[in-house]
C-alpha cells in the first residue's frame, strides 16, 4: 500500500526518515540527519507500507516554480523488482498533476537510471551529486 506521510505524525514520519537515511545516506557514510533538507515542510512525502505495517519504500516530491522534483526514492533491497518503486513514482507524479505541474525532474544515481528510463524518464545530463560521490544524471519526464 502507498501512503501519504504527514510530518505532523511524528511516529511514522521518524520511521520514514530513518529508512530514507538507512537506504540512501548511511551507505555513503552520512550521519542521521543528512537525509533532511530545506524542502521537508513543503514537500509531499509518500511511503510503501507492507502487509505487516512496515515501511519498505520512500519517496518525496516538491515544487520549484512550475517544475516538480522527486527526491529520496528508495525501496528496501528485498522488495525491489516487485513494482513498488513504479507504483510509488506514479503516486508522486499524480501529486504533481493535481497541482498542475506537468514537468518532473530528478537526479538519479547511476545504478537507478534504468529504473527511471523504464518509468518514462529521459536522461538529460550528468550532474554533480548532492551527497557523496556517486555519479548522478538529471532525468526528466513530461506528464
Amino acid at each position: 500500500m502507498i501512503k501519504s506521510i504527514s510530518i505532523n505524525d511524528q511516529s511514522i514520519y521518524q520511521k520514514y526518515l530513518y529508512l530514507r537515511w538507512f537506504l540512501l545516506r548511511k551507505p555513503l557514510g552520512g550521519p542521521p540527519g543528512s537525509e533532511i533538507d530545506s524542502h521537508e515542510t513543503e514537500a509531499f512525502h509518500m511511503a510503501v507500507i507492507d502487509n505487516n505495517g512496515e515501511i519498505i519504500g520512500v519517496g518525496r516530491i516538491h515544487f520549484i516554480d512550475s517544475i516538480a522534483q522527486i527526491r529520496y526514492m528508495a525501496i528496501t533491497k528485498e522488495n525491489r523488482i516487485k513494482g513498488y518503486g513504479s507504483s510509488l513514482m506514479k503516486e508522486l507524479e499524480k501529486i504533481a498533476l493535481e497541482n498542475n505541474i506537468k514537468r518532473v525532474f530528478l537526479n538519479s544515481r547511476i545504478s537507478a537510471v534504468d529504473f527511471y528510463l523504464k518509468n518514462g524518464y529521459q536522461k538529460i545530463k550528468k550532474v554533480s551529486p548532492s551527497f557523496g560521490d556517486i555519479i548522478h544524471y538529471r532525468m526528466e519526464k513530461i506528464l
Side-chain angles (χ1 to χ4, degrees), residues 83-102:
Y84 296 124
S86 295
S87 294
L88 183 55
M89 288 296 296
K90 286 182 178 89
E91 290 299 315
L92 292 168
E93 291 169 354
K94 189 179 348 175
I95 291 169
L97 288 171
E98 289 168 353
N99 285 274
N100 297 313
I101 305 286
K102 305 235 184 311

Side-chain angles (χ1 to χ4, degrees), residues 37-51:
D37 67 21
S38 62
H39 296 286
E40 285 304 303
T41 58
E42 70 207 44
F44 294 86
H45 305 270
M46 302 293 288
V48 180
I49 313 289
D50 70 9
N51 292 334

